Amino acid sequence: MAEKFVINGGKALNGTVEISGAKNAAVAILPATVLSEGICVIENLPRIADVFIVLKIIKNLGAKVKLDENGTATIDTTEINGHVVDKELAERMRILPTSAPPVCRTS
């Protein structure tokens, strides 16, 4: 059942709502940065566990990863030197198979 807002009254409603990035898109886009050999900037990332785990995996492979308070990640993959994903981190993610192909770049 979808949620809805019912507004009673004769006053106009105005304002802005900032929408955070989509989880499924973020966990697919982040591993793809490993395929590049340079700096990638990904904006509007949701601040959720799966995103933090993927960033940790990328960092463990040797990339430099910075995440600011606005949800913007700067990932420098020029010094990637690993190709093994930490088993404990992998087990915490349900969507890890989408992360595997980019890791092959470092093999």
Side-chain angles (χ1 to χ4, degrees), residues 1-25:
M1 178 185 295
E3 292 185 32
K4 64 181 178 177
F5 293 101
V6 177
I7 301 171
N8 295 314
K11 298 182 181 183
L13 181 64
N14 62 50
T16 60
V17 176
E18 188 170 324
I19 306 300
S20 68
K23 172 204 166 211
N24 290 340

Side-chain angles (χ1 to χ4, degrees), residues 36-99:
S36 74
E37 293 183 23
I39 297 174
C40 295
V41 178
I42 312 297
E43 298 176 338
N44 200 27
L45 292 171
R47 300 185 70 78
I48 59 172
D50 282 353
V51 168
F52 297 134
I53 292 168
V54 172
L55 290 173
K56 178 77 171 171
I57 289 170
I58 294 169
K59 186 174 183 177
N60 286 351
L61 293 173
K64 294 176 184 171
V65 176
K66 294 179 187 173
L67 179 64
D68 72 16
E69 64 278 352
N70 297 319
T72 298
T74 303
I75 303 166
D76 182 352
T77 61
T78 55
E79 296 182 27
I80 284 186
N81 55 16
H83 61 273
V84 177
V85 174
D86 180 87
K87 182 180 178 191
E88 185 177 314
L89 288 173
E91 289 174 346
R92 291 171 51 192
M93 290 203 53
R94 295 167 286 153
I95 198 160
L96 189 65
T98 63
S99 304

